[in-house]
Amino acid sequence: MSDRLWKKNIRFVEPYTPGEQPEDKNVIKLNTNENPYGVSPEMIKAAESFDYDLFRRYPDPTAKELVSALADYYNLKPENVFVGVGSDDVLGMCFMTFFNSDKPILFPDITYSFYPVWAEMLRIPYETKALKEDFTIDIKDYLVPNGGIVIPNPNAPTSILLDKNSIREILDNNKASIVIIDEAYIDFAEEGSSVLDLIGEYDNLIVVRTYSKSRSLAGLRIGYAMADSRLIKYLNDVKYSYNSYTMNYPSIKLGSSVISDDEYFKTSVGKIKATREWFSKELTSLGFTVLESSANFVFASPADGTAENIFEEAKKSGIYFRYFKSPRIDDYLRITIGKDDEMKKVIEFLKDFLTK
Ligand SMILES: *Cc1c(COP(=O)(O)O)cnc(C)c1O
């Protein structure tokens, strides 16, 4: 195809590649960190009481009902909460709003692979900081001049949690930057690991969360940021300059309804944590190196360097893992924690594979 003259004006991007969503419902799907337990019965009740006349109208641009439900749940004010279409939308908005410096933003070299994509698309200079040999974050790397910092905690795909004091140290030494802590998996970590309680203390801290993992609602697309009210205002200003109606009526309604069902939520998270401990031990006894997980997935490497092979063979048997063919992690598998019976099948598959 000949090069067209308009081509030079196009914003070419190298897109993020989401995990595969196979159509076959019978596969054991452990590749995108979804929660295997269904949605809260409260949500089903809310869905049954939809006011269909409201579908005709534009939704509430402030998503007040959802923002208030979240604010109440976390003992914050609505001015401290911003909602978006999944945390990807919220993080993208944060990049757009807060990362506008000539200095590079910083994030780990092995991390959520969407960060470099937003940076490239929005032309934000960035620098990645290599994780240590054991895949932990070296906080010294973040004590240098920068245009902003984004760290997922627990990190993905490593599943490793960074302790709160370390994040405090990063915050104390970065008063001139916005620091985003992406807590997509924090509900699976030990209680007290979140830095949410620091937002009153640090007006440069943004905590981002999602309904997609711990709340078992990846299909609803809800994410949220919590921060000092000024930061939330700047985020909303950018949102209204881009798309005022990000949250649709069903998400506002259903997203608000599940917050009250804390018991259901905590039970499902507890089950996943218990399965994770059992599964990690099983993997270890099969010779895998398993990083200590604070998430709803494990990052594990087989004894004999066959991760890619296992990934391919598992898929043929209807078991989907995530595999990244990238330096340093190309002999690891990221395995989402499913239900007990699913994880038992995974162990059986691995035993078969390893004895072949
Ligand atoms: C899954 C994930 C997200 C995005 O989740 P949404 O479904 O867009 O809410 C963001 N950050 C990390 C680290 C994730 O793993």
Side-chain angles (χ1 to χ4, degrees), residues 98-143:
F98 301 112
F99 295 161
N100 190 28
S101 165
D102 298 330
K103 288 186 209 133
I105 62 164
L106 311 177
F107 50 83
D109 62 339
I110 298 168
T111 196
Y112 188 38
S113 46
F114 223 135
Y115 302 153
V117 175
W118 286 310
E120 293 280 347
M121 187 178 72
L122 297 164
R123 299 183 185 158
I124 299 163
Y126 67 96
E127 227 173 82
T128 60
K129 296 292 180 186
L131 295 181
K132 288 192 271 192
E133 202 58 41
D134 64 357
F135 293 112
T136 57
I137 286 172
D138 189 344
I139 57 169
K140 285 198 298 300
D141 289 339
Y142 299 86
L143 311 184

mmCIF file of all heavy atoms in Angstrom, residues 98-143:
data_model
loop_
_atom_site.group_PDB
_atom_site.id
_atom_site.type_symbol
_atom_site.label_atom_id
_atom_site.label_comp_id
_atom_site.label_asym_id
_atom_site.label_seq_id
_atom_site.Cartn_x
_atom_site.Cartn_y
_atom_site.Cartn_z
ATOM 1 N N PHE A 98 -2.287 14.554 35.507
ATOM 2 C CA PHE A 98 -1.199 14.858 36.443
ATOM 3 C C PHE A 98 0.209 14.712 35.879
ATOM 4 O O PHE A 98 1.161 15.178 36.506
ATOM 5 C CB PHE A 98 -1.333 13.992 37.693
ATOM 6 C CG PHE A 98 -2.650 14.192 38.404
ATOM 7 C CD1 PHE A 98 -3.605 13.193 38.439
ATOM 8 C CD2 PHE A 98 -2.927 15.412 39.016
ATOM 9 C CE1 PHE A 98 -4.816 13.385 39.081
ATOM 10 C CE2 PHE A 98 -4.137 15.617 39.665
ATOM 11 C CZ PHE A 98 -5.090 14.600 39.695
ATOM 12 N N PHE A 99 0.344 14.034 34.765
ATOM 13 C CA PHE A 99 1.695 13.813 34.237
ATOM 14 C C PHE A 99 1.936 14.722 33.038
ATOM 15 O O PHE A 99 1.681 14.370 31.899
ATOM 16 C CB PHE A 99 1.888 12.335 33.883
ATOM 17 C CG PHE A 99 1.824 11.406 35.077
ATOM 18 C CD1 PHE A 99 1.591 10.046 34.908
ATOM 19 C CD2 PHE A 99 2.014 11.885 36.378
ATOM 20 C CE1 PHE A 99 1.539 9.184 36.005
ATOM 21 C CE2 PHE A 99 1.959 11.026 37.479
ATOM 22 C CZ PHE A 99 1.723 9.671 37.284
ATOM 23 N N ASN A 100 2.419 15.917 33.351
ATOM 24 C CA ASN A 100 2.583 16.941 32.317
ATOM 25 C C ASN A 100 3.889 17.687 32.533
ATOM 26 O O ASN A 100 3.950 18.900 32.462
ATOM 27 C CB ASN A 100 1.370 17.885 32.382
ATOM 28 C CG ASN A 100 1.302 18.825 31.212
ATOM 29 O OD1 ASN A 100 1.788 18.503 30.127
ATOM 30 N ND2 ASN A 100 0.719 19.993 31.412
ATOM 31 N N SER A 101 4.933 16.924 32.845
ATOM 32 C CA SER A 101 6.228 17.527 33.145
ATOM 33 C C SER A 101 7.232 17.138 32.064
ATOM 34 O O SER A 101 7.014 16.173 31.329
ATOM 35 C CB SER A 101 6.709 16.988 34.501
ATOM 36 O OG SER A 101 8.076 17.244 34.687
ATOM 37 N N ASP A 102 8.320 17.895 31.979
ATOM 38 C CA ASP A 102 9.398 17.506 31.063
ATOM 39 C C ASP A 102 10.235 16.396 31.670
ATOM 40 O O ASP A 102 10.953 15.683 30.991
ATOM 41 C CB ASP A 102 10.321 18.701 30.765
ATOM 42 C CG ASP A 102 9.565 19.818 30.072
ATOM 43 O OD1 ASP A 102 8.601 19.498 29.351
ATOM 44 O OD2 ASP A 102 9.926 21.001 30.265
ATOM 45 N N LYS A 103 10.138 16.289 32.996
ATOM 46 C CA LYS A 103 10.886 15.220 33.672
ATOM 47 C C LYS A 103 10.139 13.905 33.495
ATOM 48 O O LYS A 103 8.902 13.888 33.392
ATOM 49 C CB LYS A 103 11.001 15.527 35.168
ATOM 50 C CG LYS A 103 11.951 16.662 35.473
ATOM 51 C CD LYS A 103 12.130 16.805 36.972
ATOM 52 C CE LYS A 103 12.442 18.243 37.321
ATOM 53 N NZ LYS A 103 11.625 18.726 38.443
ATOM 54 N N PRO A 104 10.844 12.791 33.466
ATOM 55 C CA PRO A 104 10.157 11.515 33.231
ATOM 56 C C PRO A 104 9.326 11.065 34.422
ATOM 57 O O PRO A 104 9.690 11.317 35.572
ATOM 58 C CB PRO A 104 11.309 10.530 32.996
ATOM 59 C CG PRO A 104 12.484 11.122 33.708
ATOM 60 C CD PRO A 104 12.306 12.627 33.625
ATOM 61 N N ILE A 105 8.217 10.435 34.130
ATOM 62 C CA ILE A 105 7.496 9.735 35.201
ATOM 63 C C ILE A 105 8.220 8.407 35.415
ATOM 64 O O ILE A 105 8.924 7.922 34.526
ATOM 65 C CB ILE A 105 5.998 9.515 34.873
ATOM 66 C CG1 ILE A 105 5.812 8.632 33.615
ATOM 67 C CG2 ILE A 105 5.287 10.829 34.693
ATOM 68 C CD1 ILE A 105 4.397 8.064 33.490
ATOM 69 N N LEU A 106 8.061 7.849 36.612
ATOM 70 C CA LEU A 106 8.774 6.624 36.965
ATOM 71 C C LEU A 106 7.808 5.494 37.297
ATOM 72 O O LEU A 106 6.796 5.714 37.962
ATOM 73 C CB LEU A 106 9.665 6.866 38.194
ATOM 74 C CG LEU A 106 10.580 8.096 38.194
ATOM 75 C CD1 LEU A 106 11.315 8.189 39.536
ATOM 76 C CD2 LEU A 106 11.576 8.032 37.041
ATOM 77 N N PHE A 107 8.134 4.302 36.821
ATOM 78 C CA PHE A 107 7.426 3.088 37.259
ATOM 79 C C PHE A 107 8.346 1.895 37.050
ATOM 80 O O PHE A 107 9.359 2.009 36.355
ATOM 81 C CB PHE A 107 6.067 2.938 36.548
ATOM 82 C CG PHE A 107 6.063 3.060 35.048
ATOM 83 C CD1 PHE A 107 6.373 1.984 34.239
ATOM 84 C CD2 PHE A 107 5.728 4.276 34.439
ATOM 85 C CE1 PHE A 107 6.343 2.101 32.859
ATOM 86 C CE2 PHE A 107 5.710 4.407 33.055
ATOM 87 C CZ PHE A 107 6.019 3.315 32.258
ATOM 88 N N PRO A 108 8.024 0.755 37.677
ATOM 89 C CA PRO A 108 8.934 -0.395 37.584
ATOM 90 C C PRO A 108 9.042 -0.953 36.162
ATOM 91 O O PRO A 108 8.142 -0.755 35.340
ATOM 92 C CB PRO A 108 8.290 -1.437 38.514
ATOM 93 C CG PRO A 108 7.315 -0.696 39.361
ATOM 94 C CD PRO A 108 6.862 0.468 38.551
ATOM 95 N N ASP A 109 10.163 -1.648 35.898
ATOM 96 C CA ASP A 109 10.329 -2.237 34.549
ATOM 97 C C ASP A 109 9.369 -3.414 34.349
ATOM 98 O O ASP A 109 8.867 -3.630 33.254
ATOM 99 C CB ASP A 109 11.790 -2.662 34.298
ATOM 100 C CG ASP A 109 12.292 -3.740 35.258
ATOM 101 O OD1 ASP A 109 11.723 -3.909 36.355
ATOM 102 O OD2 ASP A 109 13.281 -4.423 34.910
ATOM 103 N N ILE A 110 9.125 -4.136 35.441
ATOM 104 C CA ILE A 110 8.181 -5.246 35.341
ATOM 105 C C ILE A 110 6.948 -4.821 36.115
ATOM 106 O O ILE A 110 6.971 -4.716 37.344
ATOM 107 C CB ILE A 110 8.774 -6.543 35.920
ATOM 108 C CG1 ILE A 110 10.005 -6.930 35.098
ATOM 109 C CG2 ILE A 110 7.730 -7.665 35.931
ATOM 110 C CD1 ILE A 110 10.852 -8.012 35.729
ATOM 111 N N THR A 111 5.880 -4.519 35.385
ATOM 112 C CA THR A 111 4.687 -3.967 36.027
ATOM 113 C C THR A 111 3.511 -4.066 35.079
ATOM 114 O O THR A 111 3.589 -4.716 34.027
ATOM 115 C CB THR A 111 4.948 -2.518 36.481
ATOM 116 O OG1 THR A 111 3.941 -2.140 37.408
ATOM 117 C CG2 THR A 111 4.944 -1.532 35.327
ATOM 118 N N TYR A 112 2.422 -3.409 35.430
ATOM 119 C CA TYR A 112 1.234 -3.415 34.592
ATOM 120 C C TYR A 112 1.597 -2.816 33.229
ATOM 121 O O TYR A 112 2.045 -1.661 33.148
ATOM 122 C CB TYR A 112 0.155 -2.591 35.283
ATOM 123 C CG TYR A 112 -1.202 -2.649 34.628
ATOM 124 C CD1 TYR A 112 -1.686 -3.832 34.084
ATOM 125 C CD2 TYR A 112 -2.013 -1.521 34.577
ATOM 126 C CE1 TYR A 112 -2.941 -3.878 33.499
ATOM 127 C CE2 TYR A 112 -3.273 -1.558 34.009
ATOM 128 C CZ TYR A 112 -3.729 -2.748 33.471
ATOM 129 O OH TYR A 112 -4.974 -2.791 32.894
ATOM 130 N N SER A 113 1.377 -3.582 32.182
ATOM 131 C CA SER A 113 1.923 -3.167 30.877
ATOM 132 C C SER A 113 1.123 -2.054 30.203
ATOM 133 O O SER A 113 1.457 -1.624 29.108
ATOM 134 C CB SER A 113 2.057 -4.372 29.952
ATOM 135 O OG SER A 113 0.895 -5.156 29.991
ATOM 136 N N PHE A 114 0.090 -1.561 30.868
ATOM 137 C CA PHE A 114 -0.644 -0.419 30.311
ATOM 138 C C PHE A 114 0.099 0.910 30.554
ATOM 139 O O PHE A 114 -0.069 1.863 29.789
ATOM 140 C CB PHE A 114 -2.046 -0.330 30.928
ATOM 141 C CG PHE A 114 -3.135 -0.034 29.932
ATOM 142 C CD1 PHE A 114 -4.331 -0.732 29.944
ATOM 143 C CD2 PHE A 114 -2.976 0.958 28.964
ATOM 144 C CE1 PHE A 114 -5.344 -0.470 29.027
ATOM 145 C CE2 PHE A 114 -3.988 1.237 28.044
ATOM 146 C CZ PHE A 114 -5.173 0.513 28.078
ATOM 147 N N TYR A 115 0.916 0.986 31.610
ATOM 148 C CA TYR A 115 1.553 2.278 31.937
ATOM 149 C C TYR A 115 2.375 2.847 30.771
ATOM 150 O O TYR A 115 2.194 4.008 30.398
ATOM 151 C CB TYR A 115 2.419 2.174 33.197
ATOM 152 C CG TYR A 115 1.702 1.722 34.452
ATOM 153 C CD1 TYR A 115 2.403 1.076 35.463
ATOM 154 C CD2 TYR A 115 0.351 1.945 34.636
ATOM 155 C CE1 TYR A 115 1.763 0.651 36.629
ATOM 156 C CE2 TYR A 115 -0.292 1.518 35.795
ATOM 157 C CZ TYR A 115 0.415 0.865 36.786
ATOM 158 O OH TYR A 115 -0.205 0.445 37.930
ATOM 159 N N PRO A 116 3.274 2.030 30.186
ATOM 160 C CA PRO A 116 4.045 2.604 29.062
ATOM 161 C C PRO A 116 3.158 2.958 27.868
ATOM 162 O O PRO A 116 3.488 3.885 27.112
ATOM 163 C CB PRO A 116 5.038 1.493 28.698
ATOM 164 C CG PRO A 116 4.540 0.251 29.351
ATOM 165 C CD PRO A 116 3.726 0.672 30.532
ATOM 166 N N VAL A 117 2.036 2.261 27.720
ATOM 167 C CA VAL A 117 1.150 2.544 26.584
ATOM 168 C C VAL A 117 0.524 3.939 26.725
ATOM 169 O O VAL A 117 0.524 4.738 25.791
ATOM 170 C CB VAL A 117 0.060 1.452 26.450
ATOM 171 C CG1 VAL A 117 -0.927 1.789 25.354
ATOM 172 C CG2 VAL A 117 0.686 0.081 26.202
ATOM 173 N N TRP A 118 0.012 4.251 27.929
ATOM 174 C CA TRP A 118 -0.547 5.603 28.135
ATOM 175 C C TRP A 118 0.533 6.656 27.969
ATOM 176 O O TRP A 118 0.306 7.713 27.374
ATOM 177 C CB TRP A 118 -1.166 5.729 29.532
ATOM 178 C CG TRP A 118 -2.470 5.034 29.697
ATOM 179 C CD1 TRP A 118 -3.563 5.131 28.870
ATOM 180 C CD2 TRP A 118 -2.829 4.135 30.754
ATOM 181 N NE1 TRP A 118 -4.572 4.337 29.366
ATOM 182 C CE2 TRP A 118 -4.161 3.728 30.508
ATOM 183 C CE3 TRP A 118 -2.181 3.654 31.886
ATOM 184 C CZ2 TRP A 118 -4.837 2.850 31.359
ATOM 185 C CZ3 TRP A 118 -2.852 2.782 32.725
ATOM 186 C CH2 TRP A 118 -4.158 2.387 32.459
ATOM 187 N N ALA A 119 1.711 6.372 28.526
ATOM 188 C CA ALA A 119 2.798 7.356 28.454
ATOM 189 C C ALA A 119 3.153 7.635 26.997
ATOM 190 O O ALA A 119 3.276 8.789 26.586
ATOM 191 C CB ALA A 119 4.009 6.862 29.237
ATOM 192 N N GLU A 120 3.242 6.572 26.204
ATOM 193 C CA GLU A 120 3.568 6.748 24.784
ATOM 194 C C GLU A 120 2.461 7.534 24.093
ATOM 195 O O GLU A 120 2.712 8.476 23.357
ATOM 196 C CB GLU A 120 3.692 5.383 24.085
ATOM 197 C CG GLU A 120 4.874 4.535 24.532
ATOM 198 C CD GLU A 120 6.196 4.943 23.884
ATOM 199 O OE1 GLU A 120 6.162 5.728 22.908
ATOM 200 O OE2 GLU A 120 7.249 4.488 24.368
ATOM 201 N N MET A 121 1.217 7.138 24.335
ATOM 202 C CA MET A 121 0.113 7.767 23.634
ATOM 203 C C MET A 121 -0.003 9.252 23.981
ATOM 204 O O MET A 121 -0.272 10.082 23.122
ATOM 205 C CB MET A 121 -1.192 7.057 23.951
ATOM 206 C CG MET A 121 -2.338 7.572 23.095
ATOM 207 S SD MET A 121 -3.869 6.724 23.411
ATOM 208 C CE MET A 121 -4.297 7.370 24.993
ATOM 209 N N LEU A 122 0.209 9.563 25.247
ATOM 210 C CA LEU A 122 0.058 10.951 25.690
ATOM 211 C C LEU A 122 1.380 11.724 25.613
ATOM 212 O O LEU A 122 1.443 12.883 26.005
ATOM 213 C CB LEU A 122 -0.489 10.978 27.126
ATOM 214 C CG LEU A 122 -1.883 10.362 27.287
ATOM 215 C CD1 LEU A 122 -2.186 10.072 28.756
ATOM 216 C CD2 LEU A 122 -2.952 11.274 26.701
ATOM 217 N N ARG A 123 2.396 11.050 25.086
ATOM 218 C CA ARG A 123 3.733 11.670 24.932
ATOM 219 C C ARG A 123 4.281 12.187 26.258
ATOM 220 O O ARG A 123 4.761 13.316 26.359
ATOM 221 C CB ARG A 123 3.680 12.755 23.870
ATOM 222 C CG ARG A 123 3.277 12.109 22.567
ATOM 223 C CD ARG A 123 3.239 13.005 21.394
ATOM 224 N NE ARG A 123 2.706 12.206 20.283
ATOM 225 C CZ ARG A 123 2.137 12.695 19.217
ATOM 226 N NH1 ARG A 123 2.016 13.987 19.072
ATOM 227 N NH2 ARG A 123 1.698 11.899 18.276
ATOM 228 N N ILE A 124 4.157 11.367 27.254
ATOM 229 C CA ILE A 124 4.705 11.679 28.571
ATOM 230 C C ILE A 124 6.065 10.985 28.655
ATOM 231 O O ILE A 124 6.135 9.768 28.457
ATOM 232 C CB ILE A 124 3.783 11.118 29.684
ATOM 233 C CG1 ILE A 124 2.384 11.743 29.597
ATOM 234 C CG2 ILE A 124 4.396 11.324 31.065
ATOM 235 C CD1 ILE A 124 1.314 10.972 30.377
ATOM 236 N N PRO A 125 7.135 11.735 28.937
ATOM 237 C CA PRO A 125 8.420 11.040 29.070
ATOM 238 C C PRO A 125 8.379 10.096 30.283
ATOM 239 O O PRO A 125 7.789 10.433 31.304
ATOM 240 C CB PRO A 125 9.425 12.174 29.279
ATOM 241 C CG PRO A 125 8.635 13.376 29.653
ATOM 242 C CD PRO A 125 7.229 13.183 29.149
ATOM 243 N N TYR A 126 8.971 8.918 30.146
ATOM 244 C CA TYR A 126 8.962 7.977 31.277
ATOM 245 C C TYR A 126 10.265 7.208 31.356
ATOM 246 O O TYR A 126 10.989 7.090 30.377
ATOM 247 C CB TYR A 126 7.782 7.017 31.189
ATOM 248 C CG TYR A 126 7.818 6.026 30.041
ATOM 249 C CD1 TYR A 126 8.316 4.734 30.221
ATOM 250 C CD2 TYR A 126 7.345 6.375 28.780
ATOM 251 C CE1 TYR A 126 8.342 3.817 29.174
ATOM 252 C CE2 TYR A 126 7.373 5.470 27.730
ATOM 253 C CZ TYR A 126 7.870 4.194 27.926
ATOM 254 O OH TYR A 126 7.892 3.291 26.893
ATOM 255 N N GLU A 127 10.529 6.724 32.550
ATOM 256 C CA GLU A 127 11.714 5.932 32.791
ATOM 257 C C GLU A 127 11.277 4.741 33.636
ATOM 258 O O GLU A 127 10.558 4.918 34.625
ATOM 259 C CB GLU A 127 12.699 6.768 33.616
ATOM 260 C CG GLU A 127 14.115 6.755 33.107
ATOM 261 C CD GLU A 127 14.952 7.750 33.911
ATOM 262 O OE1 GLU A 127 15.392 7.384 35.015
ATOM 263 O OE2 GLU A 127 15.116 8.893 33.430
ATOM 264 N N THR A 128 11.692 3.547 33.263
ATOM 265 C CA THR A 128 11.342 2.395 34.087
ATOM 266 C C THR A 128 12.506 2.093 35.023
ATOM 267 O O THR A 128 13.652 2.316 34.691
ATOM 268 C CB THR A 128 11.014 1.152 33.232
ATOM 269 O OG1 THR A 128 12.152 0.825 32.448
ATOM 270 C CG2 THR A 128 9.827 1.420 32.337
ATOM 271 N N LYS A 129 12.165 1.619 36.206
ATOM 272 C CA LYS A 129 13.174 1.306 37.224
ATOM 273 C C LYS A 129 13.184 -0.200 37.452
ATOM 274 O O LYS A 129 12.134 -0.791 37.766
ATOM 275 C CB LYS A 129 12.825 2.029 38.539
ATOM 276 C CG LYS A 129 12.874 3.556 38.400
ATOM 277 C CD LYS A 129 14.298 4.025 38.188
ATOM 278 C CE LYS A 129 14.420 5.537 38.049
ATOM 279 N NZ LYS A 129 15.813 5.937 37.708
ATOM 280 N N ALA A 130 14.343 -0.792 37.280
ATOM 281 C CA ALA A 130 14.441 -2.257 37.351
ATOM 282 C C ALA A 130 14.112 -2.775 38.748
ATOM 283 O O ALA A 130 14.618 -2.253 39.749
ATOM 284 C CB ALA A 130 15.834 -2.701 36.947
ATOM 285 N N LEU A 131 13.264 -3.781 38.788
ATOM 286 C CA LEU A 131 13.017 -4.451 40.066
ATOM 287 C C LEU A 131 14.311 -5.146 40.469
ATOM 288 O O LEU A 131 15.133 -5.488 39.628
ATOM 289 C CB LEU A 131 11.906 -5.502 39.914
ATOM 290 C CG LEU A 131 10.499 -5.019 39.580
ATOM 291 C CD1 LEU A 131 9.543 -6.206 39.505
ATOM 292 C CD2 LEU A 131 10.005 -4.013 40.623
ATOM 293 N N LYS A 132 14.457 -5.368 41.775
ATOM 294 C CA LYS A 132 15.638 -6.096 42.255
ATOM 295 C C LYS A 132 15.586 -7.542 41.763
ATOM 296 O O LYS A 132 14.576 -7.999 41.241
ATOM 297 C CB LYS A 132 15.671 -6.049 43.793
ATOM 298 C CG LYS A 132 16.027 -4.644 44.306
ATOM 299 C CD LYS A 132 16.353 -4.649 45.784
ATOM 300 C CE LYS A 132 15.101 -4.443 46.623
ATOM 301 N NZ LYS A 132 15.368 -4.152 48.028
ATOM 302 N N GLU A 133 16.678 -8.247 41.984
ATOM 303 C CA GLU A 133 16.770 -9.653 41.563
ATOM 304 C C GLU A 133 15.572 -10.486 42.060
ATOM 305 O O GLU A 133 15.057 -11.344 41.352
ATOM 306 C CB GLU A 133 18.087 -10.231 42.116
ATOM 307 C CG GLU A 133 18.610 -11.447 41.392
ATOM 308 C CD GLU A 133 18.853 -11.207 39.901
ATOM 309 O OE1 GLU A 133 19.367 -10.127 39.514
ATOM 310 O OE2 GLU A 133 18.492 -12.116 39.142
ATOM 311 N N ASP A 134 15.134 -10.193 43.282
ATOM 312 C CA ASP A 134 14.018 -10.960 43.858
ATOM 313 C C ASP A 134 12.641 -10.382 43.481
ATOM 314 O O ASP A 134 11.634 -10.723 44.092
ATOM 315 C CB ASP A 134 14.157 -11.030 45.382
ATOM 316 C CG ASP A 134 14.059 -9.647 46.046
ATOM 317 O OD1 ASP A 134 13.939 -8.627 45.314
ATOM 318 O OD2 ASP A 134 14.081 -9.577 47.290
ATOM 319 N N PHE A 135 12.626 -9.483 42.491
ATOM 320 C CA PHE A 135 11.388 -8.876 41.976
ATOM 321 C C PHE A 135 10.723 -7.903 42.940
ATOM 322 O O PHE A 135 9.543 -7.573 42.780
ATOM 323 C CB PHE A 135 10.371 -9.946 41.551
ATOM 324 C CG PHE A 135 10.809 -10.748 40.361
ATOM 325 C CD1 PHE A 135 11.133 -12.095 40.496
ATOM 326 C CD2 PHE A 135 10.906 -10.164 39.109
ATOM 327 C CE1 PHE A 135 11.545 -12.840 39.398
ATOM 328 C CE2 PHE A 135 11.314 -10.901 38.011
ATOM 329 C CZ PHE A 135 11.635 -12.247 38.154
ATOM 330 N N THR A 136 11.453 -7.453 43.951
ATOM 331 C CA THR A 136 10.883 -6.412 44.807
ATOM 332 C C THR A 136 11.325 -5.041 44.268
ATOM 333 O O THR A 136 12.266 -4.936 43.481
ATOM 334 C CB THR A 136 11.345 -6.563 46.275
ATOM 335 O OG1 THR A 136 12.774 -6.532 46.309
ATOM 336 C CG2 THR A 136 10.845 -7.870 46.874
ATOM 337 N N ILE A 137 10.616 -4.012 44.724
ATOM 338 C CA ILE A 137 10.900 -2.648 44.295
ATOM 339 C C ILE A 137 12.006 -2.062 45.160
ATOM 340 O O ILE A 137 11.992 -2.211 46.384
ATOM 341 C CB ILE A 137 9.612 -1.802 44.395
ATOM 342 C CG1 ILE A 137 8.658 -2.185 43.262
ATOM 343 C CG2 ILE A 137 9.912 -0.293 44.383
ATOM 344 C CD1 ILE A 137 7.283 -1.576 43.336
ATOM 345 N N ASP A 138 12.985 -1.416 44.525
ATOM 346 C CA ASP A 138 14.031 -0.722 45.267
ATOM 347 C C ASP A 138 13.593 0.731 45.402
ATOM 348 O O ASP A 138 13.614 1.489 44.433
ATOM 349 C CB ASP A 138 15.353 -0.818 44.496
ATOM 350 C CG ASP A 138 16.521 -0.308 45.319
ATOM 351 O OD1 ASP A 138 16.271 0.389 46.341
ATOM 352 O OD2 ASP A 138 17.667 -0.591 44.958
ATOM 353 N N ILE A 139 13.179 1.108 46.611
ATOM 354 C CA ILE A 139 12.571 2.446 46.727
ATOM 355 C C ILE A 139 13.565 3.572 46.444
ATOM 356 O O ILE A 139 13.160 4.661 46.058
ATOM 357 C CB ILE A 139 11.849 2.677 48.082
ATOM 358 C CG1 ILE A 139 12.788 2.474 49.242
ATOM 359 C CG2 ILE A 139 10.614 1.826 48.201
ATOM 360 C CD1 ILE A 139 12.180 2.950 50.543
ATOM 361 N N LYS A 140 14.857 3.291 46.578
ATOM 362 C CA LYS A 140 15.872 4.325 46.256
ATOM 363 C C LYS A 140 15.709 4.840 44.821
ATOM 364 O O LYS A 140 15.976 6.000 44.535
ATOM 365 C CB LYS A 140 17.290 3.750 46.432
ATOM 366 C CG LYS A 140 17.713 3.603 47.891
ATOM 367 C CD LYS A 140 19.233 3.453 48.034
ATOM 368 C CE LYS A 140 19.855 2.222 47.379
ATOM 369 N NZ LYS A 140 19.360 0.920 47.868
ATOM 370 N N ASP A 141 15.240 3.956 43.950
ATOM 371 C CA ASP A 141 15.046 4.337 42.545
ATOM 372 C C ASP A 141 14.046 5.476 42.386
ATOM 373 O O ASP A 141 14.010 6.149 41.355
ATOM 374 C CB ASP A 141 14.492 3.140 41.741
ATOM 375 C CG ASP A 141 15.530 2.053 41.557
ATOM 376 O OD1 ASP A 141 16.726 2.350 41.682
ATOM 377 O OD2 ASP A 141 15.115 0.900 41.288
ATOM 378 N N TYR A 142 13.191 5.647 43.395
ATOM 379 C CA TYR A 142 12.107 6.629 43.286
ATOM 380 C C TYR A 142 12.399 7.902 44.077
ATOM 381 O O TYR A 142 11.532 8.744 44.235
ATOM 382 C CB TYR A 142 10.776 5.982 43.718
ATOM 383 C CG TYR A 142 10.446 4.819 42.812
ATOM 384 C CD1 TYR A 142 10.956 3.542 43.071
ATOM 385 C CD2 TYR A 142 9.711 5.017 41.653
ATOM 386 C CE1 TYR A 142 10.713 2.484 42.205
ATOM 387 C CE2 TYR A 142 9.465 3.967 40.778
ATOM 388 C CZ TYR A 142 9.965 2.708 41.063
ATOM 389 O OH TYR A 142 9.736 1.669 40.194
ATOM 390 N N LEU A 143 13.629 7.991 44.577
ATOM 391 C CA LEU A 143 13.993 9.180 45.347
ATOM 392 C C LEU A 143 14.845 10.106 44.497
ATOM 393 O O LEU A 143 15.835 10.660 44.937
ATOM 394 C CB LEU A 143 14.719 8.766 46.646
ATOM 395 C CG LEU A 143 14.032 7.660 47.473
ATOM 396 C CD1 LEU A 143 14.786 7.398 48.771
ATOM 397 C CD2 LEU A 143 12.567 7.995 47.784
#
